[in-house]
Amino acid sequence: MMTSTAFTRRLGGFALFSILALAGVSMTAAADDRSVENPAAEALRVCADPSNMPFSNDKREGFENRIAALFGEKLGVPVEYTWMPEQMGFGRNTLKRWLPDKNRYACDLIISVGSAFEVGKTTLPYYRSTYTLAYVKGHGLDSIEKPADLLDLPAAKKQDLRIGVFTGSPAGDWIIQHGMIGQIVSYRAQSGGYDSDPADMVSKDLVNGDIDIAVVWGPIAGYYAKQIDSVDIAVVPFSREDGPLFDFPVSMGVRYGNDAWLNTVQQLIDDNHDEIVAILDDYGVPRVPLREVDRHVQEDDDD
């Protein structure tokens, strides 16, 4: 995923690198001694993307922002952000970045991470979503009610389609495997900048008719299908019947070395489950049931 994560965009000399690496080890060791403290004692510091709706933005309009605000309210502290485009190095440059002048890390919580999160530990998944096909109704595609229906379109119709696909996504691979590589309009999930939004595929290009179908992570399609009034967007989720690799669990991430904070975040998720589900519903996030394996993610990490 992208999502989400990675879900939802997910960078000198050898001697200098070695010196900095050694310095980093000693600094991390010193910082880890402090990690037993409650990192949210004064503020809930969240690592987030400033331009990645519906997940987050620097106006605090995304559902991750809403969940963070809920947690801040429950903890009785303000919510502060470290903003960075969610691309390669995101966790290292936010969650693991030590600020010597402030004697703390830049931030302490990532609201959405996938199961391949490598720079810290994760809570149990709090939702599972799936890739989708999105199209504008009334343009000859209304017969598509499941992804397989796309394959049943007349050959001439399929050949004329322009299908927006994020490079390397499993749903994009599905399009290629079914002989439609010539119809693909390729997009990059990781823009590398603050002013480029992956959701432009749906919110601009699909709406404006530059592409006919967007193959995109479900939360993006679901959100804009609810938000955009100028056209009627259909959202068709991929299911297990279409293949095993289209839906992914989403958890929250914290640094290694602070299990007390991890447990606090897990308790916040558990205690506020209904409120979190309501937020996801407000943003049109398509969800599939969590699986039995999702309930063992944290236990496996602890082994």
Side-chain angles (χ1 to χ4, degrees):
M1 178 192 73
M2 35 355 279
T3 69
S4 189
T5 159
F7 278 133
T8 169
R9 290 192 242 192
R10 323 226 225 211
L11 273 202
F14 177 77
L16 176 60
F17 174 82
S18 300
I19 293 170
L20 293 176
L22 290 172
V25 169
S26 61
M27 180 178 292
T28 301
D32 284 346
D33 290 341
R34 304 179 183 91
S35 66
V36 297
E37 303 173 4
N38 176 14
E42 299 176 354
L44 175 60
R45 298 185 176 96
V46 178
C47 325
D49 192 310
S51 179
N52 193 22
M53 288 294 286
F55 308 97
S56 65
N57 68 9
D58 54 11
K59 297 179 181 178
R60 306 192 183 194
E61 296 172 328
F63 68 78
E64 293 181 7
N65 303 118
R66 285 269 302 277
I67 293 172
L70 171 66
F71 285 4
E73 178 183 343
K74 298 299 181 179
L75 293 168
V77 295
V79 178
E80 299 177 358
Y81 282 92
T82 292
W83 302 110
M84 180 166 291
E86 196 165 328
Q87 58 184 6
M88 186 177 295
F90 175 76
R92 183 180 69 251
N93 291 308
T94 55
L95 192 67
K96 294 185 70 175
R97 180 159 61 93
W98 180 251
L99 305 177
D101 57 326
K102 296 184 178 180
N103 199 38
R104 63 169 176 81
Y105 288 96
C107 47
D108 306 300
L109 177 65
I110 302 177
I111 299 291
S112 296
V113 298
S115 58
F117 186 59
E118 296 179 348
V119 300
K121 298 187 75 171
T122 69
T123 64
L124 297 176
Y126 65 99
Y127 78 95
R128 180 181 273 268
S129 192
T130 184
Y131 276 87
T132 62
L133 304 178
Y135 62 85
V136 175
K137 293 182 181 179
H139 294 273
L141 300 175
D142 292 15
S143 63
I144 301 176
E145 297 180 350
K146 57 184 184 299
D149 293 336
L150 171 61
L151 308 180
D152 294 333
L153 292 176
K157 178 68 174 177
K158 284 194 292 186
Q159 289 172 2
D160 286 340
L161 292 176
R162 295 156 299 173
I163 305 175
V165 169
F166 283 118
T167 303
S169 69
D173 292 341
W174 183 89
I175 296 292
I176 295 172
Q177 290 163 7
H178 287 89
M180 290 178 282
I181 190 171
Q183 284 69 55
I184 283 180
V185 178
S186 185
Y187 290 75
R188 291 180 58 200
Q190 296 185 357
S191 69
Y194 285 80
D195 56 352
S196 180
D197 192 334
D200 286 350
M201 181 202 286
V202 177
S203 62
K204 294 181 180 179
D205 296 351
L206 183 66
V207 170
N208 295 335
D210 297 323
I211 57 175
D212 302 297
I213 296 175
V215 181
V216 66
W217 181 232
I220 295 174
Y223 174 71
Y224 286 102
K226 289 191 68 171
Q227 290 293 310
I228 294 173
D229 297 327
S230 59
V231 297
D232 190 1
I233 297 175
V235 178
V236 179
F238 281 86
S239 72
R240 294 286 290 178
E241 294 180 358
D242 303 302
L245 299 175
F246 297 118
D247 59 272
F248 297 89
V250 180
S251 304
M252 298 190 191
V254 306
R255 277 182 304 280
Y256 284 117
N258 196 334
D259 288 348
W261 174 233
L262 177 67
N263 292 335
T264 296
V265 175
Q266 184 63 61
Q267 196 64 54
L268 285 166
I269 294 171
D270 296 342
D271 291 348
N272 298 283
H273 172 267
D274 291 346
E275 292 91 335
I276 292 172
V277 168
I279 290 170
L280 296 175
D281 285 342
D282 283 348
Y283 284 76
V285 175
R287 299 190 305 282
V288 298
L290 290 169
R291 302 179 189 164
E292 185 62 30
V293 67
D294 295 332
R295 302 188 181 98
H296 302 290
V297 172
Q298 190 175 359
E299 288 90 335
D300 292 345
D301 286 345
D302 290 336
D303 291 342

